[in-house]
Every structure is written in structure tokens, then in C-alpha cells.
Amino acid sequence: MWFNDRTDAGRRLAGRLEELRSERPIVVGLPRGGVPVAFEVARALDAPLDVIIVRKLGVPYHRELGFGAIGEGGARVVHEDIVRMSRVDQADLAEVERTEEAELGRQAERFRGGRERIPLSGRVVILVDDGIATGATAEAACRVARAQGAARVVLAVPVAPPDAAAALRAEADEVVCLSTPSDFFAVGEWYRDFSQTSDSEVMELLHAAAAAYGETHAGTSGDTATPEPRPEPHAEPKPEPVAESNPPPSPNPGSNPGPHPGPAVNPGPGAGPAPASGPVRIPVEGGTVELAGDLELPGAETAARSEGGEGAPAGPAPAIVVFAHGSGSSRHSPRNRSVAERLNRAGLGTLLFDLLTAEEEIDRANVFDIETLGRRLAEVTRWLRTETGGAQAVCYFGASTGAAAALRAAAAPGADIAAVVSRGGRPDLAGERLADVTAPTLLIVGGRDETVLDLNRQAQAQLRCENRLTVVPGATHLFEEPGALRKVADLAWEWFSAHS
């Protein structure tokens, strides 16, 4: 089952929960992504809407991979198997927990905007999220609701893997899930639009729900009124990055070409025929394994429609950017897709693919096997050049552990990679191969992602190619802050355009 967006998912979920209307439930959303879904449920059931603040505990070098969660009132869930697999020491994990505790308090204060928390004691509570991956966040939220005195907890989500949905029945009195696909990989792959939900949108939805419910129930016990329309999120400012550059070794130590915004070079009439854009199957490991991917090759029409043209050339895409996602993610990563769309609008081609099959992903050791991931990426690059005729430059965009895989692949003899960009990556995991990378490399890190920033600085010191470390002020590991991900996309486009 596919969902257009969180609004669509919320409306469809509300249909399954209609029988609970007579029990006068309280609907509680999990910020951020769960709130737009919960908003639709609350207004369909004519119920009040609140939030339960739960923070995922992410592995320090890849926050998308959660090893547990904490919630209001001291609720805590930790998956020891992921802790062991990530090989992170206890001091780093404790630092993650301290950071998330501080953020938990900040979000509680900001989202409620001075309003009192709605009492859950003795009430039926419908706990809503936009989907479940490992289940740690939902499990912590159920415990928070119990601790606050909920008489009955109904966990309602659009999509979840079968095993997680089954396990959560031990925490909730009832689990309502519209879809439990056996080939589940990530929540975002079941949404056509899984763009990020901002803090401001959460606050606007909570305010609108409170106003609508107050108007409906002021001085009466049974009348209904039409709720306010859902507010549109307002535009957010973009942070300005700070760059730390190292030029390539050169006879002229005073020179540092650095990236500059400008047109990518059109390969001209020698380019071979391009395959059609769309889903692809990529054979690796001697043809014994097939990886799913999505290839996008913008042509002249796309370039003409790009934002102000942005210098995008007419004709075939001059370069193709291959995305290497991090552990716990997939080709459906909303962050990588957001960057890919920006590059497509500027006339660059993109290939997003899964480094591992769904079966391989089950063994968590595979997602940290940088050597294998790098070899897979190199195989995919050879396949891409064969399919496209080899005339277009190939660039890499890596996130988290995918950045290490990208650098290992770029370091291979004869790799001929035009440029590499790392978003919140772990380039240090490429180890001694960093010194062999010749492709110009841009490392992008959030200013508040202190552990990963230190690791990137250590890795930068080992690079001998042209390189730059750019810090996006105020951004955390996932670049969830307003304007942060757009800044990443802009920086990536500038770097690829300057070097391809």
C-alpha cells in the first residue's frame, strides 16, 4: 500500500479508527513526522491532539540508525544488538543520550508553546506515527503514555514491518497498521512524498487542532464544527556554511582552485545513447545479486525548466551523480532524494540504488562492511558507464557509511571519479585508502554534529587530493533544521558543476 503523503496516510488511517470515536479518545502524535498524520486522525474523530516527545538514540556516526529511544518521564528503550553491531564505546553512546535528553526538553517546551499537556489519565489514547522501522521510538512512546495514566493505548501507523508490528502488541493494547509489507526496508519508501516535517509545521498543526477542538466543544458536549484548514508551512531561512579547505598538492602552494558555481561541461557529440530514466536492476557479484535502483537522466527540457536555467546545458546530462546511502537507509532516503531532485533540476543525472538487498540488510554486520560496500559501488559504476556509453562524468554523493564506501571506490586504480561529496559522512572509515583518493572531495558536516565533525577533520588531514570541509552552522547530523538540507544540495551542485 502506497501513500501520497502524510496527509493522505492520516485520512486513510482515520477511516480504520472511526469505531473509537464514541470512546472520546485523545490523539497523540510523535514529532515530527507523526504529527501531520495525527492531525488528520484527530480532526476526523473530533478528538483533541497533543504530542508525546520521544527522541531516537542514533549511532553517533549515523544518526538514522537508531539503537534505542528515550521519552518524557524517563522512558528508555535500548536495542543491545545494534549497540554491539555498531562497535561504538559506551562514552559515545552516553553522550548521544545526554544530547537527546536536552533536545527532548527543548522540543516539549517549543511544541506546546506554553500550553499544558493534555492529561491522559483514564483516557483511551491513540498514539500515531508516520510509520515504524525498528519500533524503539513507538515502544518508548507507549511507555510514556502508560506512565501518564492512559487507560488504553492504541498504536496506529500507516506502515510497519511485520515483525516490529507484532512485537509492539506487547506494549500497546491494540496495534492498528494499514500495511505490513514483507519486503519492508524503510518507512519513506511507502510514501510518494516523504519530505521532512519542520518544527514550525508541528507547532502550526498543534495550534490549529487546539483552536478547532476548542471551538467545537466550547460550552457544549456534543456539537461539532468544521475544523480550521490545515496550515501551510512558511518559508524558512537558510544557514550560511563555513568552509575549511585544503588544496591539492601542487608546485604552487599558494593556489587553491576551490569550487565555484558555474555550468557543468557538456560532453558534446561523442556521448552515447542514454538509457531511459526510471527503475533499474543492477547485476553485481558476478550476476548472482541484483540491486534495485532509480536512474534519472534529465534532457534539454529538464534543463530549460531548472531554476533560472542555472547554467544547465541543453542535451544529455553532462555528469551522473551516484548516491551511496548510509546504514539503516535505502535508495528511498528522503534526504538523498531531495538532493537528487535539486541536481536533476540543474541538469545533472542521478542514480540512487540499494547497496544491499533486503535479505542482506537483515544481517546488520553487512551495513558496516565498508570494503564490500565500496566494491559494490565500483561494480555499479562500471555497469552505469556501460549502459550510458561512458561519455558522461561520474560523481559520488555519500551519506554516513556510504561516504566511506564512495571514497574507497574512488580510491581504486582507474576509478576515474570526477568528484565526491560526503553529507554527514564517516570518511574516516575509508582508512588508509583516503591517501589514494584523487577525486576532488567535499565534506559537508553540521555544526552541531560534533563527533562526526571531529572525525571528518581527522579524515581530511589524510586526504591528498583537492578537498574542502564545509560546516553548516546550527545543523545536526540529519540536517533537519530549516534550510539546512537545501544548503547541502546547493553545495553539492556547486562542487559537482565545478569539477565535472
Side-chain angles (χ1 to χ4, degrees), residues 351-372:
L351 173 62
L352 294 96
F353 74 101
D354 293 332
L355 283 162
L356 299 170
T357 66
E359 293 76 16
E360 291 170 333
E361 178 77 11
I362 294 173
D363 183 352
R364 301 303 295 174
N366 289 330
V367 304
F368 297 102
D369 186 348
I370 305 301
E371 183 176 356
T372 296

Side-chain angles (χ1 to χ4, degrees), residues 243-244 259 398 419-423 439-444 456 463 466-470 488 490-496:
E244 304 174 15
V420 178
V421 172
S422 163
R423 170 183 66 83
T441 299
L442 173 64
L443 309 175
I444 306 174
N456 272 254
L463 289 169
E466 177 188 345
N467 65 84
R468 174 169 292 181
L469 171 60
T470 296
V488 170
D490 289 346
L491 289 167
W493 174 75
E494 291 170 5
W495 191 261
F496 291 138

Side-chain angles (χ1 to χ4, degrees), residues 66-409:
F67 67 85
I70 57 174
E72 294 177 283
R76 183 175 185 269
V77 176
V78 173
H79 291 300
E80 295 295 344
D81 57 335
I82 296 179
V83 171
R84 288 193 300 272
M85 197 66 65
S86 65
R87 299 175 184 174
V88 180
D89 62 42
Q90 291 299 316
D92 286 340
L93 298 180
E95 179 59 30
V96 169
E97 191 161 349
R98 283 192 296 271
T99 300
E100 295 303 334
E101 284 176 349
E103 182 66 11
L104 187 150
R106 185 196 69 83
Q107 283 192 343
E109 181 176 349
R110 184 174 186 189
F111 290 155
R112 293 198 175 95
R115 291 188 299 272
E116 291 294 325
R117 187 168 60 193
I118 298 176
L120 305 184
S121 182
R123 302 291 295 274
V124 173
V125 175
I126 303 176
L127 193 60
V128 180
D129 204 356
D130 55 7
I132 290 171
T134 65
T137 302
E139 184 179 347
C142 287
R143 293 183 184 182
V144 172
R146 295 275 192 216
Q148 292 181 14
R152 182 179 173 209
V153 177
V154 178
L155 177 62
V157 294
V159 62
D163 55 344
L168 285 165
R169 297 183 195 282
E171 295 293 334
D173 296 290
E174 182 180 356
V175 175
V176 176
C177 185
L178 300 182
S179 178
T180 54
S182 58
D183 58 345
F184 181 95
F185 193 91
V187 173
E189 67 182 317
W190 302 99
Y191 285 80
R192 293 182 176 89
D193 178 2
F194 198 63
S195 54
Q196 295 179 67
T197 302
S198 66
D199 280 4
S200 60
E201 184 177 2
V202 170
M203 291 185 290
E204 288 166 1
L205 290 173
L206 290 172
H207 176 77
Y213 186 79
E215 290 176 5
T216 300
H217 295 271
T220 67
S221 58
D223 327 20
T224 59
T226 303
E228 292 182 2
R230 176 175 172 165
E232 292 295 327
H234 55 75
E236 303 281 2
K238 296 187 294 180
E240 291 301 320
V242 177
E244 304 174 15
S245 303
N246 281 348
S250 167
N252 179 9
S255 66
N256 181 5
H260 60 277
V265 179
N266 192 327
S277 297
V280 293
R281 304 293 297 183
I282 308 169
V284 295
E285 307 292 354
T288 60
V289 175
E290 274 197 343
L291 303 177
D294 293 306
L295 180 63
E296 184 68 33
L297 296 175
E301 291 183 4
T302 302
R305 290 196 306 268
S306 66
E307 302 168 8
E310 292 187 339
I320 303 174
V321 180
V322 182
F323 283 70
H325 61 77
S327 53
S329 187
S330 76
R331 72 185 190 280
H332 298 292
S333 160
R335 296 171 184 84
N336 281 350
R337 284 193 173 275
S338 177
V339 174
E341 288 169 4
R342 166 76 169 94
L343 299 179
N344 293 154
R345 290 196 301 271
L348 299 181
T350 55
L351 173 62
L352 294 96
F353 74 101
D354 293 332
L355 283 162
L356 299 170
T357 66
E359 293 76 16
E360 291 170 333
E361 178 77 11
I362 294 173
D363 183 352
R364 301 303 295 174
N366 289 330
V367 304
F368 297 102
D369 186 348
I370 305 301
E371 183 176 356
T372 296
L373 299 181
R375 186 182 70 248
R376 287 261 174 107
L377 180 55
E379 287 188 72
V380 168
T381 302
R382 288 192 291 271
W383 170 87
L384 178 64
R385 284 180 166 139
T386 299
E387 291 295 308
T388 59
Q392 293 147 309
V394 175
C395 305
Y396 287 157
F397 183 96
S400 191
T401 51
L407 288 164
R408 283 191 71 96

